Amino acid sequence: MNLEKIGRARMMLRLPAYGRLLSELRSRSMIEIFIAYAEASIQLDVLRSTDTPDGVLIEEYDQICLKIENSIEPYLRTLTEQSLTSHATKETQAR
């Protein structure tokens, strides 16, 4: 099971505005985040699918996933803004 790939794909579903950027990120720290996200989201799926779901644990893992999403989004936003600024600068210089 490739946890990096699973985490990356699940995060892309949760943060579709950053899908392309998420697909391109390859740093060690991002890979670790994708793996952690995969582990938490898989555990959340397992908890939700049991015959007697534990609401407390479900809420805990749901919050873990949300915390990861919320912690990575400002970084993604910054990278997107930097990319847009760089692209605009290159277009201006080309004219």
Side-chain angles (χ1 to χ4, degrees):
M1 182 181 325
N2 185 334
L3 291 175
E4 175 193 348
K5 186 175 179 178
I6 292 168
R8 185 185 303 270
R10 287 182 178 218
M11 194 170 289
M12 289 169 67
L13 289 172
R14 293 291 296 162
L15 302 171
Y18 302 106
R20 181 179 171 137
L21 180 57
L22 286 165
S23 72
E24 296 171 353
L25 294 172
R26 301 279 182 246
S27 70
R28 176 123 177 102
S29 58
M30 284 305 303
I31 290 169
E32 290 174 7
I33 290 170
F34 292 140
I35 291 170
Y37 191 76
E39 291 170 339
S41 62
I42 289 168
Q43 185 60 39
L44 182 57
D45 289 346
V46 169
L47 290 168
R48 286 181 172 153
S49 67
T50 62
D51 292 334
T52 55
D54 183 334
V56 173
L57 274 178
I58 289 172
E59 179 62 25
E60 183 178 329
Y61 276 92
D62 193 43
Q63 288 302 311
I64 290 169
C65 290
L66 188 59
K67 185 183 255 185
I68 294 170
E69 293 164 15
N70 289 339
S71 68
I72 195 65
E73 195 167 11
Y75 173 68
L76 298 172
R77 191 177 315 115
T78 299
L79 288 178
T80 300
E81 290 168 359
Q82 289 174 350
S83 176
L84 291 173
T85 302
S86 174
H87 183 71
T89 302
K90 288 177 185 175
E91 281 188 0
T92 302
Q93 291 173 348
R95 293 180 186 169

